[in-house]
Structures are given as structure tokens and as C-alpha cells.
Amino acid sequence: MSQSLPPPPRRPAIVAALCAAALAVTGLIGAAPPAQLDLPAAALPYQDPSLPVADRVGDLLSRMTLDDKLGQMTQIEKDSLVPRSDLATYRIGSVLSGGDSTVSPNNAQTWADTYDSLQRTALGTPLGIPVIYGIDAVHGHNAVRGASIFPHNIGLGATRDPALVQRVGRAVAEEMTGTGIDWDFAPCLCVARDDRWGRTYESFGEKPELPASMATFVTGLQGATIGADPASVLATAKHYIGDGGTAGGVDQGNTQLTEAELRALHLPPFQEAVRRGVGSVMLSYSSWNGVRSHAHKYLVTDVLKGELGFTGFVVSDWAAVDQLDGQSGFTGAEITTAVNAGVDMVMVPYDYKKFLTLLRGEVGAGRISQARVDDANRRILTKKFQLGLFERPLTDRAYTSGVGSAAHRAIAREAVRESQVLLKNDGGILPLAKGAKLFVAGKSADDIGNQSGGWTVGWQGRSGPVTEGTTILQGIRAAATDPAQIAYDRYGNGINGGYTAAVAVVGETPYAEGRGDRPNGMGLDQEDLSTLARLKASGVPVVVVLVSGRPLDIAAQLPDWRALLAAWLPGTEGNGVSDVLFGDHAPTGKLPMTWMRGASQQPINDGDGKTPLFPYGHGLTYGTTPDPDPDPDPDPDPEPVPTACTAQFRTVASWSGGHQAEVTVKNTGTGPLTAWTVTWDLAGSTVSSLWNGSLTVSAGRATVRNAAHNGALSPGATTSFGFTANGPAGTPAPQCAGT
């Protein structure tokens, strides 16, 4: 993508001698700083940016008191700081803004000022350890009024465009950098298996290979290497693990699967995020077979940190540790359970004094070891050093004016049009003619809040003009040859037979988790049904644009509609929808979820034997343009030129009756690879699930061909696919062929 700003250093440098004091601190929290030493700036190893990060972390750890270390494991909501000096007094390592936490006035400049004020407080401590500030920038820097708001993940999944998603991540990182905030609680890599779940729109898709392919968002946020990019922010893979697979789609519920099923469905996206070097992982509120993720040492320490090799840090979800015993209020036992399970940083978020007292007591009693505390600190401090926070702790104001920039909104508009899924187009009514006389109706036609959804300038979101942007109605009028030909009434009043078509923009109003669960039906509300009935009664052909965070129960109404366009939750750039309605861009989106015939089919997913209204991957377009100068006698396509490649098999994990494996494909030739195929003998095992490729089996031999996103490999480049299988792993010798 083209950058909207030149790449200056991410944050202005400040004098490193903020803590030119005796840094071998032995006092307690709240004690006065020790006397100054005659030391020049950056005299101590951890202050020296030329040293390896591991050496700097080791030196800093050796100088930290227990209170310093416990503070690094503590994350608090910024508004809970009373007084503000508690940030330094209690050596707090991280601050966050919750979904409804804001600043006044709510603009990028105030956010930057707030961040810098907190950071200066942290830098005033004897060791001068900067805070890392986290926020849920899940579809743009969505807490900031005026920021570019991108489609929610379900729409990005419909694009099937990992490169675009990486560019979206980069734009989000630049806007975050302009406010100082350096840690994004995104992307959500959940695999949503039941559309009744209120977080379905946070999922890229129902099959693991789709969210795994969209882990490019991690690279967009962090850059190729954390901190190397001038606008690098820390990414978070969440929510580990299985939150999209709970029984009944109940938020924070119980995922009831065998280990093989859990690994096959819900682990691959996290595996890909780890491969891309994701800096943090957030755990899920949900449970696996009755055990909460925050208490699951096997899943967190053994699988994530051990088997997958995750070297970043694990953060809890909001007050999730406090929920482990089912009672309100922290207990020492809850803290010990979570930390020993592998939680490195606890999102408290409010009662930090009680939390730190209990944590200190558990360490003092030996129930949490000093080694575990040091491991957590090493992981956290490593990311702070890699981000460059010790050298560049304050906001890079060169990026502040880029929040909501035209360049970022152009990327958002591109993402919107690529996310549109055309589900029905009887008689080719779409695309609409720009000179047509149109009647637009529906509660979401002229409502930026509805089209942006939850997590937009507030946790649950809300209807109305919550931020700046272009509504779908405004996009339609802007695209029309004569805007006066576009009539609008929210409820469909005043329509008559003189219109070419009626465009009804209907669907869901904003929600987030909890409030968004829909166990009792998934149909349109009464206002939408009444509006659609008025349009139908006019005899004018009806085109429905469905604004929603998931497939809805619309089978009964579908025969009344000439066309149906799934717009998902497009965000602030409603002109991306009109781009498709008028044919400036043909629809290319494909369903990331199976579309039910009715809510009684839930859960419904590809391959489960149920007959959907529209299958996973469905999506129409307007057809192709004929070749203007066709060759009447074209030469046959030349044979593809073989290109050398290798395939290396590795058993990732095994259990009674099954195993998980990974195959790494490498281009060992001198030219580019456009496609590859790997084959091997199954030797009695059967593949139960495969991601990042397509599988066929014949005569006991498996053949895997590349997916759309990983077939192209330059010389020396590698990619991988993974699978779970029943039966012993064995030692197969896969063969690779490339073209």
C-alpha cells in the first residue's frame, strides 16, 4: 500500500537520563528515589539500544525489585487511576482503554496528549520502564471519533484477500501510532461455528483456513519485525481458544469437543499468528470441556508456549481471572491458578491495589514461583524493548494528522466493495443504471452507526451519527448521475410505481458480545418487515442490501426480492456499497459463513450435511467482459514449466488414536513458483481436517494442492499446510511438484 505519511521515526526521542539515579533499586514501592549517581545517560546496559534485546532484558531484570516485577504483570483501565500518580507508585506496567473508555474532546490529539501524560508518569519511576497501552482497535482505531472504520472481520473474510487485510492492518497501525497507543487487542482469530453467537462478526469465517489466511493482519500491525516499522504496534491473537465453538453459541460458554476436533477447528489460526511472530495472545472467557481457558495450563503453557513456540506474552481478558471461581472479587487462589497456567499479564482492570496485594502474597507464600514471575516479565519486557518504547516512548505526532486520512478511507472503501457478497440477482437487475430513478428506504440506509456496528466509538456501538463517514444513501446519491432522482424515506412511505427499483437497506442494529447473542430467533425486526412490505406493495422491484454481523433468517422474505447483497458491517465508507450497486466494481465477495435456511438449522457449517440457503463460498458477480479481439485460432496453452520444490514433514503433536502434522513447502528452484502439489502415502492413517491447502485422497495416497493465498513462492521462500489425522503419524516422505 502507499503510505499516507513519510516514515519518520515512530516516536520522538527523549533524553534517556530520565532515570540517572542509582538504578540498583532495593526499596519498596512508594519509597523516595535513591541518590543520584555520577552516570552519563544510557550508561547502563538496558539503556543501550545497540545491545541485543535479550541482554537488555536480563540487565533490567537484575535491577528490578519484586514490586517492579509484579507491576509489569498488571494492566489497569486508565480511568481507574486515582490518583494518577498511582501509575508510578505501584509500578504499573500496562494501561488500557475499555470499550467505553474515552477522552474529551474525543479526537486524535487528545488521545495523544493523554497517552503522553501517562507515559511521562511511568518514565518518572527509578527504572524508567515505559508502559504499554492497549486498546480494542478491532476494525480501525474505533474508539477515536473521526478515525477510518473498516469492515468488521466477517466482511474482510468475504474478500478472500489476505494482502488487502494486511494493508488494512497497516492503516490501523498508522492511526494508532498517531494517538501514541502501541498495542492492539486484534485480530480476533476465532472460528465462529454458530451464528447465534454475538461475536460472529469478529470472525473471518467458519472454517479454520480462512481466519488463518487472514492472520496477515498481524503483519500489517507489527510490520515484518516488531519495531522495525516506524508505525509498528503490537498485535494480539485472540481469543485463545475455542470461543467461536461454544455450545449454542453462548458467549463465554463451554466448547465441547475432543482434543483432535479442537486442534483441527480452532488451533490453526493461532498457529499461523505465532508463525508470523504475533507479540501477544489474549485468552478466551470460554471453557473447553468445562475448564476455563484462563485456568488451562495444558492449553496455554504446554500447547501455546511449548508446542507452538509462542515467545510473546499472554494477557487475560477483561476481569477474566476474577471470574474463575464464579464469584465477584479477586482471590489469591484465582490469581495463582491463572499465573501458573501461563497468564503473564492480568487485565485487572480496576482494583489494582487489591490485586497487587494478593499477587505479592501468593509469590511470598511460594505458590507462584519467582521463576514464573521472571518468565512473565522477560516476555513483557522483550516486547517493550522490541517496540522501541525505551528509546521512543512518546507519540510520534507526524502520524496524528493521518487519523481518518483520505488514503486510509480509500483502503476502507476498497475493503467494503471487495466484501460485498451478491447472493441473488434475478433478471440481472444489478448493476443499477446511474441515471435510474430509485427509491431508497430502510433504517440503515442513512445511519453511520448501524453500518459500522459494535465496537464503534463505544463498546456496544449505537445507531446514529457516531462518527464521520459516508452512509450508504450518501454513496448512492454521490454515484447517481442526478441525485435528485434518488428519493429516500426510512420507512418506505411515499413510494409509487414510477421508480426503476427500490433499494432497501435493512438488517441489524449495533451490538457486541453478550448483548448480541440471539438464541431466540435471527430474523429481521418488525420495522424492517413493515418497510419491506410497503416496498413490495408498490410493485417496484426490490433490491435488498443487508447490513448485519452474520447471516440472518430471511428465507421467507427472499422470494419477494429481486436482488440480495450482503454488505455485512461495512464501516464508515458506505460508498464502497454503491460502487458495487452501480457496477463500478463487480461483486467478488464469497460467503465466509454458511447461510442457514432458518434459525432452527443453527449451528450449520460447511460439510455437516445440512442443506443451506446459500453454501459457504457462494457469491455471484455481474459476469465477465468478452475479449475485444478474440483469436479465432488460439494456440494451446503451453505446458507449465516444472519448478523444483521440497516438502518437509513434521509431527506437531500426537495423542491416543491421532496426531497433528505440518508440512513445509520450499521453492528450491531458481525461478518463481506459481503453484505446488505435495503427495505422500497415508500408511493406514486418515486425514480428518486440513488447512492452508486442498486435499484429495486416492488409493491410500494423499495429495495436497496449494490454497489461493500460498501458491506463489519466490526462490528460497517457504509456506506450510497442516492437518490432523486419525492413526499413527509414522515417518512419511512427501514429494513436491511445482509449476
Side-chain angles (χ1 to χ4, degrees):
M1 62 166 281
S2 59
Q3 298 182 5
S4 60
L5 292 168
R10 182 177 182 276
R11 301 171 189 275
I14 68 167
V15 178
L18 280 163
C19 50
L23 297 175
V25 178
T26 57
L28 297 173
I29 279 180
Q36 278 195 353
L37 292 178
D38 256 334
L39 291 175
L44 298 171
Y46 82 87
Q47 297 173 303
D48 186 350
S50 70
L51 292 178
V53 166
D55 292 352
R56 300 179 73 185
V57 171
D59 179 69
L60 179 54
L61 271 175
S62 72
R63 302 173 188 279
M64 294 169 70
T65 66
L66 177 61
D67 288 326
D68 289 323
K69 294 175 181 179
L70 302 186
Q72 290 300 305
M73 298 171 68
T74 306
Q75 184 180 57
I76 63 174
E77 219 293 327
K78 74 170 175 62
D79 293 336
S80 72
L81 277 169
V82 180
R84 184 62 62 91
S85 60
D86 272 1
L87 186 71
T89 302
Y90 290 89
R91 306 291 196 264
I92 302 299
S94 182
V95 178
L96 83 149
S97 284
D100 289 321
S101 179
T102 188
V103 296
S104 183
N106 186 352
N107 57 46
Q109 182 71 40
T110 311
W111 279 98
D113 292 344
T114 302
Y115 175 92
D116 285 355
S117 174
L118 290 166
Q119 194 65 281
R120 287 190 178 98
T121 301
L123 295 170
T125 56
L127 291 172
I129 303 174
V131 294
I132 186 169
Y133 197 125
I135 201 165
D136 288 273
V138 297
H139 65 139
H141 200 4
N142 41 256
V144 183
R145 185 178 177 94
S148 307
I149 305 299
F150 298 84
H152 268 295
N153 286 356
I154 191 170
L156 294 180
T159 71
R160 300 298 203 278
D161 191 341
L164 172 63
V165 169
Q166 182 167 324
R167 291 166 55 212
V168 169
R170 166 67 192 193
V172 175
E174 289 182 357
E175 298 206 6
M176 289 181 64
T177 298
T179 64
I181 298 176
D182 35 52
W183 180 13
D184 191 0
F185 300 141
C188 184
L189 295 176
C190 55
V191 181
R193 303 288 292 176
D194 191 318
D195 300 339
R196 292 171 292 186
W197 185 40
R199 305 190 80 150
T200 295
Y201 65 75
E202 295 186 54
S203 173
F204 290 108
E206 71 181 34
K207 298 179 72 172
E209 55 265 31
L210 186 49
S213 71
M214 298 303 174
T216 51
F217 195 87
V218 170
T219 306
L221 290 174
Q222 295 185 165
T225 304
I226 294 174
D229 190 288
S232 178
V233 300
L234 202 70
T236 307
K238 68 180 189 183
H239 301 85
Y240 185 83
I241 180 176
D243 55 340
T246 60
V250 174
D251 191 52
Q252 304 185 24
N254 187 30
T255 300
Q256 298 169 295
L257 297 172
T258 66
E259 181 171 348
E261 291 169 332
L262 184 77
R263 286 174 174 270
L265 285 173
H266 298 285
L267 191 62
F270 291 94
Q271 189 170 22
E272 176 62 16
V274 171
R275 189 187 73 81
R276 288 181 173 273
V278 69
S280 68
V281 168
M282 183 183 292
L283 300 185
S284 174
Y285 285 116
S286 61
S287 304
W288 175 43
N289 294 336
V291 180
R292 288 185 181 270
S293 296
H294 286 76
H296 216 302
K297 185 175 182 180
Y298 172 69
L299 289 178
V300 180
T301 296
D302 296 347
V303 176
L304 176 63
K305 293 181 175 180
E307 180 184 315
L308 268 61
F310 173 60
T311 59
F313 64 90
V314 171
V315 63
S316 79
D317 208 334
W318 179 279
V321 172
D322 186 9
Q323 296 184 8
L324 288 181
D325 63 4
Q327 305 293 320
S328 178
F330 277 110
T331 65
E334 287 176 314
I335 295 169
T336 291
T337 296
V339 172
N340 286 340
V343 175
D344 301 304
M345 182 185 290
V346 176
M347 192 184 294
V348 175
Y350 294 119
D351 197 355
Y352 52 90
K353 296 176 185 178
K354 180 179 180 181
F355 169 76
L356 281 165
T357 298
L358 291 171
L359 177 58
R360 190 179 298 110
E362 294 301 292
V363 175
R367 289 185 284 271
I368 298 174
S369 70
Q370 185 65 53
R372 175 78 266 270
V373 171
D374 285 351
D375 174 57
N377 271 261
R378 188 171 287 107
R379 290 171 176 271
I380 294 164
L381 293 171
T382 294
K383 298 309 167 189
K384 289 186 175 184
F385 278 115
Q386 288 176 343
L387 281 169
L389 293 180
F390 283 81
E391 289 73 52
R392 303 177 300 279
L394 302 182
T395 305
D396 186 338
R397 302 290 175 136
Y399 281 92
T400 306
S401 63
V403 175
S405 69
H408 292 162
R409 291 182 182 276
I411 297 170
R413 181 174 181 171
E414 180 182 353
V416 172
R417 62 180 179 245
E418 283 199 31
S419 71
Q420 304 300 289
V421 181
L422 183 61
L423 296 173
K424 180 179 180 180
N425 192 24
D426 281 1
I429 190 171
L430 294 180
L432 299 168
K434 291 187 177 181
K437 185 178 181 182
L438 303 175
F439 191 98
V440 181
K443 66 175 183 287
S444 296
D446 197 30
D447 193 307
I448 205 80
N450 284 357
Q451 73 186 46
S452 297
W455 288 106
T456 307
V457 197
W459 173 37
Q460 294 285 334
R462 60 182 173 86
S463 301
V466 297
T467 191
E468 287 75 47
T470 303
T471 68
I472 294 171
L473 174 64
Q474 289 170 334
I476 290 172
R477 284 178 168 160
T481 305
D482 180 5
Q485 291 283 87
I486 310 299
Y488 166 69
D489 181 84
R490 170 172 173 159
Y491 305 102
N493 294 316
I495 189 171
N496 57 47
Y499 293 92
T500 303
V503 179
V505 189
V506 296
E508 295 185 302
T509 52
Y511 57 84
E513 66 265 32
R515 197 179 302 173
D517 285 4
R518 293 189 68 174
N520 300 313
M522 302 177 68
L524 298 171
D525 64 22
Q526 190 55 53
E527 179 184 332
D528 286 345
L529 294 174
S530 297
T531 300
L532 289 164
R534 292 185 190 98
L535 301 181
K536 177 186 176 183
S538 73
V540 173
V542 177
V543 173
V544 171
V545 175
L546 196 62
V547 173
S548 68
R550 54 192 150 197
L552 297 182
D553 188 348
I554 46 86
Q557 293 80 41
L558 186 61
D560 297 335
W561 308 340
R562 287 280 297 277
L564 172 59
L565 186 69
W568 312 111
L569 298 171
T572 54
E573 307 314 302
N575 39 18
V577 178
S578 59
D579 285 342
V580 172
L581 287 174
F582 289 106
D584 289 329
H585 295 271
T588 56
K590 305 296 181 185
L591 282 182
M593 310 285 180
T594 301
W595 202 291
M596 62 192 158
R597 287 188 172 273
S600 62
Q601 283 189 314
Q602 290 294 335
I604 180 171
N605 293 287
D606 186 50
D608 62 9
K610 299 176 183 178
T611 302
L613 185 63
F614 300 110
Y616 175 88
H618 177 71
L620 307 174
T621 190
Y622 298 150
T624 57
T625 303
D627 185 346
D629 184 24
D631 184 350
D633 185 21
D635 294 330
D637 291 334
E639 289 295 319
V641 179
T643 302
C645 61
T646 59
Q648 184 174 2
F649 180 95
R650 179 174 73 93
T651 300
V652 174
S654 60
W655 53 90
S656 177
H659 64 278
Q660 179 179 340
E662 180 180 73
V663 177
T664 300
V665 178
K666 182 176 183 179
N667 180 358
T668 55
T670 58
L673 197 66
T674 59
W676 49 261
T677 301
V678 174
T679 58
W680 74 95
D681 289 325
L682 288 169
S685 65
T686 57
V687 176
S688 53
S689 177
L690 184 137
W691 50 95
N692 290 338
S694 60
L695 170 72
T696 56
V697 176
S698 178
R701 192 163 177 83
T703 299
V704 173
R705 292 176 174 81
N706 60 274
H709 66 274
N710 64 357
L713 294 175
S714 57
T718 63
T719 189
S720 65
F721 65 88
F723 63 90
T724 57
N726 301 317
T731 55
Q735 298 174 323
C736 182
T739 56

